[in-house]
């Protein structure tokens, strides 16, 4: 019996183990969907612990599968749990969990990439962006095939303060391939520094929490798995539109083994390319002989600010597409050459 004045902690009633659920509903991980099940509840508890205090919180779990992390989330005493699962085979097992926690679980059979997250939580949970994060969390053991496009989509939502971030600085605790987790948190100078590093860190505080060995999953993936926690920043480190930052960062890392000016060049049409590249590098005060992974966040900020100024002066710059220019040149070359496949240039090979 609970002590007077105290509310008893929520506990799930006895349930079949995750392994038994998998056997009961004849569930099998589908390789084409990059599904891997985590059966060890000590590890699922550890993942949920990285999300922070979840008592009375509202949580959205992405891709719960057979429900291992789901059990750990419910055991943390959440107020409401929204489950978004694309694979219909998992729904009956999740409904069993829902019945064991009456009134706490809402199951959506749908795709997280298209689900309208701005309607996922009660309006009264909204907080101002400058306030502490709302009592809302996103947690997920993501399939490898969807993890990178999904985090890019959510980072764009952070930048625009829409989607799940219409409620404020909603925190996320997600799994990635170990190498992707390292890229997300990589510091300047690290060989893992990449486009993902800049796009994530200019918008969020990113913490690479711990690594789960591949053998903990069924079936065992070929790589280990990183658990990464994201807290959106009150002020982004680069205060420019998401699309502009992404274009500059993507261009710089296009030729990651070369000097950074090589990637900057492809922001500009061939006519006047060298002059404009020099102008941008000088305005941003960035050494053109640095490699992309050596650039600091402030140097990327300077590059984005300088590029924005040039785009304001010449709006045609932002819509310029280097790949399209290459394609047009290739078509022209093909029409002038004798029949047969023309050789690709170095730029075409890298792009």
């Amino acid at each position: 019996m609970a002590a007077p004045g105290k509310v008893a902690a929520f506990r799930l009633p006895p349930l079949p183990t995750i392994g038994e659920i998998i056997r009961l509903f004849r569930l099998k991980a589908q390789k084409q969907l990059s599904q891997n099940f985590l059966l060890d509840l000590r590890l699922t508890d550890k993942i949920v612990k990285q999300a922070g205090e979840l008592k009375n919180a509202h949580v959205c779990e992405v891709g719960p599968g057979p429900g291992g992390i789901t059990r750990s989330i419910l055991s943390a005493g959440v107020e409401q749990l929204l489950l978004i699962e694309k694979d219909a085979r998992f729904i009956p097992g999740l409904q069993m969990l829902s019945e064991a926690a009456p009134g706490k679980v809402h199951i959506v059979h749908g795709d997280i990439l298209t689900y309208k997250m701005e309607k996922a939580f009660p309006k009264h949970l909204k907080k101002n962006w400058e306030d502490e994060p709302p009592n809302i969390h996103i947690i997920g053991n993501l399939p490898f095939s969807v993890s990178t496009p999904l985090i890019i989509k959510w980072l764009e939502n952070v930048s625009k303060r829409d989607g799940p971030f219409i409620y404020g600085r909603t925190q996320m605790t997600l799994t990635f391939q170990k190498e992707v987790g390292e890229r997300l948190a990589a510091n300047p100078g690290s060989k893992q520094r990449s486009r993902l590093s800049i796009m994530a860190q200019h918008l969020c505080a990113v913490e690479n929490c711990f690594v789960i060995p591949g053998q903990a999953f069924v079936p065992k993936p070929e790589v280990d798995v990183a658990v990464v926690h994201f807290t959106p920043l009150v002020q982004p480190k680069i205060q420019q539109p998401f699309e502009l930052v992404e274009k500059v960062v993507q261009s710089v890392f296009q030729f990651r083994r070369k000097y950074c000016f090589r990637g900057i060049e492809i922001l500009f049409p061939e006519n006047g390319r060298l002059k404009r590249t020099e102008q941008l590098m000088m305005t941003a005060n960035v050494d053109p002989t640095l490699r992309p992974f050596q650039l600091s966040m402030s140097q990327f900020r300077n590059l984005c600010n300088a590029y924005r100024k040039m785009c304001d002066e010449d709006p045609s710059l932002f819509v310029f597409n280097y790949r399209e220019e290459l394609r047009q040149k290739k078509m022209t070359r093909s029409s002038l050459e004798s029949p047969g496949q023309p050789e690709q240039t170095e730029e075409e090979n890298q792009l």
Side-chain angles (χ1 to χ4, degrees), residues 90-157:
F90 297 120
I91 301 298
L94 296 174
Q95 285 173 336
M96 184 182 290
L97 270 177
S98 177
E99 289 162 8
K104 282 187 176 288
V105 181
H106 177 54
I107 302 169
V108 172
H109 176 211
D111 188 342
I112 187 62
L113 286 168
T114 56
Y115 182 73
K116 301 293 184 186
M117 289 290 285
E118 53 268 69
K119 297 180 180 178
F121 305 104
K123 290 181 179 178
H124 73 265
L125 295 172
K126 282 187 180 182
K127 287 203 172 184
N128 294 324
W129 195 260
E130 296 73 23
D131 295 342
E132 288 297 305
N135 203 12
I136 294 173
H137 299 262
I138 298 172
I139 299 175
N141 174 29
L142 304 177
F144 295 154
S145 60
V146 78
S147 60
T148 301
L150 184 56
I151 193 59
I152 288 292
K153 172 183 164 65
W154 277 340
L155 289 170
E156 183 172 4
N157 289 145

Side-chain angles (χ1 to χ4, degrees), residues 15 27-28 42 44 52 70 88 100 107 117 148 191 205 234 240:
L15 287 166
L27 301 173
K28 188 176 182 181
R42 291 170 301 178
T44 60
T70 314
I107 302 169
M117 289 290 285
T148 301
K191 291 294 174 72
V234 173
Q240 295 294 350

Side-chain angles (χ1 to χ4, degrees), residues 85-92 109:
E85 178 55 65
K86 185 178 181 179
D87 193 333
R89 298 174 306 143
F90 297 120
I91 301 298
H109 176 211

